[in-house]
Amino acid sequence: MRYRTLRLAACVSVAALLMLLPAALGATGDALFNGKDLSGWQVVDGDAATWTVENGEIVTRGAATGGWLATDAEYGSFALHLEFQLSQVGNSGVLIRGLAPTSVFTEVQLVVPWNPPEDEMHCTGSLYGHVAVSHWPDETPLTWRTMDIICRGREIETRVDGELTCTANTADVPALAEASLVGRIGLQSSHSGPDEWVRFRNIRIEDLDTDPAWVAPLLASSDAKLLAEGLRCSRLAGAGLIPATLQMLLAEAAPPRKIGEEALWRVLAAASEPGQETKRAAAESTLLRCLVEKLDAPARVAIVRGLGLVGSEASAEPLRNCLAASWVSGPSLWSLERIPAAAASQALLTAGRDTALLEPTRVAAIHALGVRGDRSVVPGLIGLLGDESSAVVSAAIDTLGVLGDPRAAERLVGLMRARDESLRPAAVGAVLRLADAIATSDPALAKTLFDRALHAARSEGHINTAQAGLRRLEAGR
Amino acid sequence: MTQLGSATALGAGAWLAQRTGAQTVSANEKIVVGHIGVGGMGNEHVNWFAGLDDVEIAAVCDVDATHLQGTIDRVGTLRPGRKVDGYRDLRELLARDDIDAVTIATPDHWHALAAILAFEAGKDVYGEKPLCHSVAESHAMVRARKRHDRVFQLGTQIHAEENYHRVVDIVRSGVLGQIHTVNLWKTGGSPGLGYPEPQTPPATLDWDLWQGPAAERPYVPERCHFSYRYFFDYSGGDFADFWCHISDIAFWALGIGEPKTIDATGEPPLDGIADTPNWIDVDFTFEDLHLTWTSKTPDFPGAAGRGIGARFVGETGTLVCDYFSRVIYLEGKELDDIPEVPQATPRSPGHQRLFVDCVRSRQQPESHLDYVHTMTLPMLLACISFRLGRKLTWDAATQRFVGDEAANRMLDIPYRSPWWLPA
């Protein structure tokens, strides 16, 4: 049922979702300014001395030398809340979606009433020069006022002292239609005179970019810029976005499947970042939970593949349980091959022994053990040399050669004369590999093995390899 | 059954006769060659090798019967009178003991396995670029070539051109001063390829064998011939393809080692099933060298009009080149050569000619495996950085990324059963 709900959520349009959000959610968001110093902020295109922190307020003074104070982080969709106070002839602004160092941004104006040009397109709360206010707020200086800026994709809304001042859809504003939908949040320096100043305090943000309920509908958008935002935010939204992306993989149409795959990959790539163990564990447990839901094939294949990137020991048995179904066995084996935990080696060895599995699956599980290079499975592989399936035995021979463990030497040499003639070339190949692996640590045994292999060899390739090995041993002596 | 198949078993008489004279080709004997993968570049291989008098073309191989027949017919025209055998499965071609060397022009995801199977079968290899598809494959190739004592040349034929040799002369002469920055570029990126519906593969195509070790996917023509390049299942896009040609001049001239950090940014196309970069920028740091890649035209002098190129920035001068031309900025002048710089780099007799000479002499040619492994590695690492969307730190001593478990998992691209990577 959980997925049915999410499927519906994914169909809800961005516009409809906007209506569900409270108006001034920024007032309860995270603090962007710690009240003590400017950590998390940096001055762009200006003199850092212009900016100070006093009494829990950010203060900017002087003429136009201060550039803008930008957040280190970038934000696309958010609700920003702050309080500001302007001096007698104050002129400043809150900058959104700012790009540094190029200093491109959209400005929400903060100004006093007698600063030209004194119109709705340039007053407090306007998107300066682009979108006029619908309500001109009180601009009396030397007064603390609140500013709320709510950006949801292309929708921008500003409020001063809680009253709506401006709404815009950037798609309808030619100058903003191609503007970036993501960037830094900035405070503009005071720039109306050397004795003027601006103060900011209580700066808070509600970050929608990290909210799966906000990001999922963006992924379904036909607007290329909103879609790009959805994909960017997929890295930020975390494991909560995984179920929605899996639903996209089950869509009838191809484009949502592609976007779903891309978004899921980004969620997992972000979860796999170093130092993000909590995120990784959340992604893994979400994938494992979704695996139990018995979703249709494309989603289950994606889950199993995803575990190859973020899976741990906890994924070993669930992945082994996927090996019975041929359509998902390949990706399950690859993920087991990649998970470094000892439990994954054991799961692969168990699969190699499991006569209930299809023979190619058993063979592939055994070869995967060779790639992992984990010699703890050598005794188990030697045990498989007596298996009834010659394909399984052959794979065990290959893998014992690759692992290069001398414990297997005697059995491999014997198999060069195996009654089942089809096993002999694999055994010669494995003895040659093993000889090579131990050439430095035990040159005497290596020489014996090369000699025995040369004697047993029946193909030009094996003869060549044995002779090359002997030449190298001779040269190394 | 091994990957080489039971067909490698010979009668006792045959192997005894071989044992004495294995692997030596007398100067009078022709080098017998087989061509694997003859849909695109493989036909260039046929042209080139047919142009060498001391080479005999004995066999060609392709999983697409249409390609195969077309090439058999063409060899018949180029080399009348000699019967050429056709194979669908490369294991059958490799089982032939009369063949000394093979050329490989399959899609990228087959490069390493085909080369290693050829090494195992005692064949020398002229392999198309890019070298391979994963770091694990590159290591396996290096080990296998050494273990089987084979000759390998990568198909970077631009390497043999006069221009690259001259650029090496000039850069190594020191006239540009110490080189601190190299900028590489190739404009353009992956198209999206739309959303074609899966189809039944044509009867002439063995889709399962074409996929080989790669992930099982439904057949759509766009995934197969030519545009396979735009899928990470098989390749790494134009970046992977052209890196090999243009980074070659930098690695050759400067003897660059392995990168310390790799930071790729870019996007895949979003208007179709392709997933390799629509654009990609990469920033590499090496010991004493900064190296960049971009898929856009750089804005420095010499880049305009060059769809692919390399710029060497030295303390005293700059050189910009592409495959066949170069421009040098030195002391305020714009030059196409510096006659005072002696011709210090031995010239190539031709990329394929050199390979065949090395098959006889048992020397390694210019684009030998150890060299092209080092040259290819940054590209393979950058594909991982691109896919994970983060900067990576590489440790050459352990051949692992530092502190990034997920990135390390991507050093190996697992093989689909029944194929496995012989290490």
Side-chain angles (χ1 to χ4, degrees), chain A residues 210-292:
Chain A
T210 61
D211 180 355
W214 167 256
V215 177
L218 291 178
L219 296 171
S221 176
S222 56
D223 179 329
K225 286 183 84 75
L226 289 176
L227 172 59
E229 262 301 282
L231 286 170
R232 183 187 69 85
C233 295
S234 299
R235 294 189 70 92
L236 308 169
L241 190 63
I242 289 174
T245 61
L246 291 174
Q247 284 304 323
M248 293 182 79
L249 292 176
L250 301 177
E252 295 247 328
R257 294 203 301 266
K258 156 86 176 200
I259 299 302
E261 196 172 341
E262 194 62 43
L264 174 60
W265 174 259
R266 289 175 197 220
V267 170
L268 299 177
S272 75
E273 274 178 26
Q276 298 290 340
E277 175 52 26
T278 312
K279 276 193 192 174
R280 187 210 59 76
E284 180 183 29
S285 63
T286 305
L287 288 173
L288 289 174
R289 202 170 64 240
C290 294
L291 190 60
V292 182

Side-chain angles (χ1 to χ4, degrees), chain B residues 277-346:
Chain B
N278 178 242
W279 65 272
I280 179 169
D281 288 347
V282 197
D283 213 79
F284 298 96
T285 56
F286 289 79
E287 185 89 46
D288 301 329
L289 184 77
H290 180 213
L291 190 145
T292 66
W293 172 276
T294 179
S295 55
K296 306 169 201 107
T297 304
D299 58 4
F300 45 69
R306 285 187 164 93
I308 189 166
R311 179 173 78 146
F312 295 84
V313 186
E315 285 165 338
T316 52
T318 298
L319 181 150
V320 175
C321 72
D322 56 15
Y323 297 168
F324 302 109
S325 74
R326 62 186 175 263
V327 54
I328 302 150
Y329 302 93
L330 192 64
E331 293 165 354
K333 293 194 288 281
E334 202 176 309
L335 311 161
D336 63 1
D337 197 15
I338 302 169
E340 297 76 35
V341 171
Q343 183 177 307
T345 316

Side-chain angles (χ1 to χ4, degrees), chain A residues 397-472:
Chain A
I397 290 171
D398 293 336
T399 303
L400 284 167
V402 169
L403 291 175
D405 190 313
R407 283 176 289 177
E410 203 181 318
R411 291 296 304 276
L412 292 175
V413 167
L415 283 161
M416 295 196 298
R417 297 266 181 273
R419 188 164 303 157
D420 178 352
E421 289 190 25
S422 73
L423 296 174
R424 292 180 186 177
V428 175
V431 169
L432 287 168
R433 276 205 173 74
L434 176 54
D436 221 50
I438 60 164
T440 313
S441 59
D442 191 346
L445 178 57
K447 178 161 187 336
T448 307
L449 293 177
F450 279 129
D451 282 335
R452 301 285 295 271
L454 182 60
H455 190 66
R458 291 293 180 278
S459 74
E460 183 193 23
H462 282 153
I463 292 164
N464 167 63
T465 306
Q467 289 173 336
L470 287 166
R471 279 199 301 276
R472 269 200 311 283

Side-chain angles (χ1 to χ4, degrees), chain A residues 346-368:
Chain A
Q346 283 312 310
L348 287 166
L349 185 59
T350 305
R353 288 175 177 141
D354 188 351
T355 51
L357 294 176
L358 292 174
E359 191 175 76
T361 305
R362 297 178 65 198
V363 165
I366 294 165
H367 280 138

Side-chain angles (χ1 to χ4, degrees), chain B residues 35 40-50 74 128 352:
Chain B
H35 297 288
M41 198 62 193
N43 286 305
E44 289 300 320
H45 290 178
V46 168
N47 291 341
W48 288 331
F49 283 83
R74 255 168 26 79
E128 230 358 275
Q352 300 77 32

Side-chain angles (χ1 to χ4, degrees), chain B residues 100-111:
Chain B
D100 302 302
V102 294
T103 77
I104 298 169
T106 61
D108 308 4
H109 66 286
W110 259 110
H111 284 178

